[in-house]
Structure formats: C-alpha cells, structure tokens
Amino acid sequence: LRLLGPGKAVLEEKAAQFVVTAEKAIGHPIANAKGFSLANRFYLHYQLARQYEKLGQNERAEAEYAQGFSGNPNYKEGLVEYARFLLRVRKYDEALTVVDGLKDVEKGRYDYLLINGLAKMGMGDTTAAVTDLLAANRIYNSDTVLLNALGSSFLKLGQRDQALNAFQASLKLNDQQEDIKKIVAGLTKK
C-alpha cells in the first residue's frame, strides 16, 4: 500500500498480505511450528512411511522405513514398526534382520520374540516359531496376535489341545473374533 502525495510522491509505504474473496468469512488454519533437528531426520522418514503404508504404497513405505532405520538403527519404536511392516508384506527374512537389533535390549525382548516367532511362522518353521512365541507369551500373555499365532502353530504341529487353549485365551481377551470362534467350535466338536 502506498500513500501518494502531491506530484505522486510516495509519502508512506507498507507491505502486507491480504485475500480478496467473494466469501463473507474465510477459515484460517492454525499455524503451529516447531524446530526440528536434522539429527532427527530419521523420524521424518518413519512418519512418511506410515503415510505411504496407509495409502497402500508399500514400495514407497518400505523405502522410507529403510531410510528411517538406516538413520537411527537404535530407535526401538521405529525398528519394531519397520519389522512389523515387513511381516505384513511377507518379507520374513528382512524382518528377522531388522528385529535382530532388539536381541540384547531388555525392554525390547517381547517384541523381539514375537516378531521372530511370526517371521518363522511365515517362513514355515513352525517348531522354531512356537519356541519364540511361548517365550514371548511368558513375558506378556495378553496379546491376541501372539495367542492366535500360537494356536495356529500348535494346529500345524497337530497339538490340538494346546491350540484350543491358546485360541480360548485369545477369545477371553477379545470375544469379537469370529474367525477364532469358528476354529474353537471346530476343535471342540471333535
């Protein structure tokens, strides 16, 4: 904005942003900003990976998870998230490699054993899967994913009673699992 005087001389000048619109009221987003250290760039890659995964863009998600992991292989939450993603896309060998970083971390022992068990189960090594899943269950016995995997593994090994116990324990935690209810019904009939 310029205030012009006699002879079009500029008396005062100020700059500002404004919007011209036909709307009576315009919503303005709340601006929030926080400094972000470049040393924590790995975290940004994990955020992008989650978004790509939600969009079903698994290749891009995997690339971002890998970037985040390489930026900080000691970030426990990211490591677990990356390994679980690899399980979902059936990259079991890679999940085992990634989760190996938790092998000696006391607070990561449960996740290490669970992911190892699920990966080995996916690879068809049912006996080794049961060993890891049972060890994880001794640490924390209230996870339906673990209990259902344990039940499925016991079924593959022909251990129907142990499978039934695992599935029933899972149903005690969440009785809305229709597929597990069908399995239990089938096991109790015979």
Side-chain angles (χ1 to χ4, degrees):
L1 177 66
R2 289 189 186 140
L3 179 59
L4 301 177
K8 295 190 180 182
V10 177
L11 300 174
E12 193 168 340
E13 185 175 327
K14 284 200 178 186
Q17 293 182 352
F18 63 93
V19 176
V20 177
T21 179
E23 298 294 322
K24 290 183 180 183
I26 300 174
H28 294 280
I30 296 172
N32 242 346
K34 184 177 180 182
F36 191 77
S37 168
L38 290 179
N40 294 328
R41 175 181 260 151
F42 70 93
Y43 191 73
L44 177 62
H45 290 290
Y46 281 113
Q47 293 290 343
L48 289 171
R50 288 181 202 112
Q51 295 304 313
Y52 284 129
E53 188 176 358
K54 286 179 184 175
L55 292 171
Q57 297 179 18
N58 288 339
E59 286 181 21
R60 292 180 84 178
E62 185 174 354
E64 292 296 337
Y65 276 123
Q67 284 282 329
F69 178 70
S70 68
N72 186 351
N74 297 319
Y75 177 53
K76 178 189 172 288
E77 291 82 4
L79 187 149
V80 169
E81 193 173 349
Y82 182 23
R84 288 182 183 217
F85 167 79
L86 291 169
L87 289 175
R88 284 190 292 278
V89 295
R90 300 182 183 339
K91 294 191 175 186
Y92 305 116
D93 287 327
E94 293 171 34
L96 288 173
T97 301
V98 168
V99 81
D100 198 53
L102 289 177
K103 185 187 326 186
D104 299 320
V105 177
E106 184 62 33
K107 290 190 176 184
R109 191 81 182 137
Y110 172 78
D111 290 312
Y112 171 75
L113 291 166
L114 175 61
I115 292 168
N116 260 320
L118 294 172
K120 289 173 183 174
M121 185 178 158
M123 296 167 67
D125 190 355
T126 308
T127 303
V130 166
T131 301
D132 286 337
L133 293 171
L134 283 173
N137 196 48
R138 283 191 288 278
I139 295 170
Y140 181 69
N141 66 355
S142 296
D143 184 344
T144 58
V145 171
L146 181 145
L147 292 168
N148 292 339
L150 202 49
S152 296
S153 295
F154 280 135
L155 270 182
K156 285 183 183 175
L157 294 173
Q159 299 174 5
R160 294 170 50 85
D161 291 339
Q162 289 91 332
L164 181 60
N165 289 339
F167 288 132
Q168 286 175 332
S170 177
L171 284 173
K172 284 181 185 175
L173 295 172
N174 178 0
D175 64 355
Q176 302 301 309
Q177 303 175 82
E178 297 304 319
D179 52 336
I180 302 302
K181 284 181 182 179
K182 289 177 186 174
I183 294 170
V184 167
L187 289 171
T188 54
K189 282 182 184 177
K190 298 176 183 177

